[in-house]
Amino acid sequence: GDKAFAQFLTDEIKEEKKIQKHKSLPKVSGGWELEVHGTEAKLVRKIAGERVTVTFNINNSIPPSDEEETQEEQKPDEQEPDLTSTPNFVVEVVKDDTKQTLVLDCHYPEDEVGHEGEEESDIFTIREVSFQPTGESDWKDTNYTLNTDSLDWALYDHLMDFLADRGVDNTFADELIELSTALEHQEYIKFLEDLKSFVKCQ
């Protein structure tokens, strides 16, 4: 059984490498620096008196597909539909002269993915906003967190503009999807390779 499993994985890795779009990770325009630690990625950008950090994790970032098709129904030469990774991401804005960080928790709404042709609609939304002490990795649940569900629209729009002024806009969100998808695929191939070595290990 293990031999057949290893052979299957070998073929699967070959296939995945064939459809891999990016050999190296795509860049995000606008002077963002990328750091990757396993499945977590961090984009950092410094602008006058501020540091903006965007963090996301590719785990569980691929929305469940609606296709109930079984593999047999697909024609053999049809490629599987492109999987797109749309992770939640957290934007932190630190001003040099304050001890506080403004944290905005953003996500891609599931129904917004096919948004072509609409008026300038935003492809991501802000879910929560809070202040956290700068430099502390553990955020406190005791800090007030503003949930945007019940938020005044004008305030919400200002928050979106605030992000856009710092380079977090639709273009950025699109490029983040590209980057995340490439990263997810890279990690998937690596996982298959690790699994193959594990299975072959006697």
Side-chain angles (χ1 to χ4, degrees), residues 5 18-19 71 145 172 189 201:
F5 191 9
K18 228 187 285 175
I19 60 172
Q71 289 293 304
T145 300
F172 173 86
I189 291 173
C201 184

Side-chain angles (χ1 to χ4, degrees), residues 113-141:
V113 177
H115 62 278
E116 275 75 35
E118 280 180 36
E119 291 282 297
E120 281 291 289
S121 77
D122 293 302
I123 61 174
F124 69 96
T125 57
I126 302 171
R127 244 196 325 214
E128 293 181 343
V129 188
S130 66
F131 278 111
Q132 298 296 343
T134 301
E136 288 193 24
S137 54
D138 293 336
W139 291 340
K140 296 180 172 47
D141 290 337

Side-chain angles (χ1 to χ4, degrees), residues 22 56 58 65 74 80 83 137 145 153 161 195:
H22 303 279
F56 64 92
I58 58 165
S65 65
Q74 277 189 348
E80 288 175 27
L83 293 176
S137 54
T145 300
W153 276 105
D161 291 344
L195 187 57

Side-chain angles (χ1 to χ4, degrees):
D2 283 3
K3 219 178 227 136
F5 191 9
Q7 187 49 51
F8 166 79
L9 288 168
T10 306
D11 297 342
E12 194 68 11
I13 290 164
K14 224 181 269 156
E15 278 309 299
E16 289 296 332
K17 283 193 166 155
K18 228 187 285 175
I19 60 172
Q20 195 174 16
K21 279 195 202 134
H22 303 279
K23 289 290 168 263
S24 60
L25 293 174
K27 294 254 183 291
V28 176
S29 57
W32 294 89
E33 280 172 38
L34 174 66
E35 292 171 31
V36 180
H37 304 285
T39 57
E40 188 173 86
K42 191 190 221 174
L43 290 157
V44 184
R45 182 174 187 231
K46 293 189 174 72
I47 35 183
E50 290 182 3
R51 190 173 86 245
V52 185
T53 307
V54 178
T55 321
F56 64 92
N57 194 318
I58 58 165
N59 279 338
N60 306 322
S61 65
I62 294 185
S65 65
D66 304 330
E67 279 86 63
E68 290 293 302
E69 276 183 30
T70 53
Q71 289 293 304
E72 287 77 55
E73 288 172 27
Q74 277 189 348
K75 297 182 188 61
D77 55 347
E78 265 184 42
Q79 277 195 350
E80 288 175 27
D82 279 352
L83 293 176
T84 308
S85 159
T86 49
N88 298 343
F89 59 98
V90 175
V91 184
E92 296 170 57
V93 181
V94 184
K95 288 189 185 283
D96 291 349
D97 47 3
T98 66
K99 289 281 176 283
Q100 283 185 318
T101 303
L102 181 64
V103 178
L104 302 104
D105 197 342
C106 304
H107 77 141
Y108 295 95
E110 271 147 43
D111 49 1
E112 289 284 323
V113 177
H115 62 278
E116 275 75 35
E118 280 180 36
E119 291 282 297
E120 281 291 289
S121 77
D122 293 302
I123 61 174
F124 69 96
T125 57
I126 302 171
R127 244 196 325 214
E128 293 181 343
V129 188
S130 66
F131 278 111
Q132 298 296 343
T134 301
E136 288 193 24
S137 54
D138 293 336
W139 291 340
K140 296 180 172 47
D141 290 337
T142 50
N143 287 6
Y144 179 73
T145 300
L146 177 67
N147 193 311
T148 56
D149 291 345
S150 52
L151 199 59
D152 179 322
W153 276 105
L155 175 54
Y156 182 83
D157 285 343
H158 278 297
L159 284 168
M160 287 300 272
D161 291 344
F162 175 85
L163 282 179
D165 289 343
R166 281 149 186 82
V168 180
D169 53 14
N170 275 349
T171 308
F172 173 86
D174 268 332
E175 291 180 352
L176 187 101
I177 292 178
E178 278 274 296
L179 170 64
S180 182
T181 303
L183 189 60
E184 203 284 332
H185 199 199
Q186 192 174 290
E187 285 292 319
Y188 175 60
I189 291 173
K190 191 165 149 280
F191 172 79
L192 291 178
E193 286 170 340
D194 290 346
L195 187 57
K196 187 176 87 175
S197 326
F198 186 82
V199 169
K200 282 169 92 169
C201 184
Q202 296 305 332

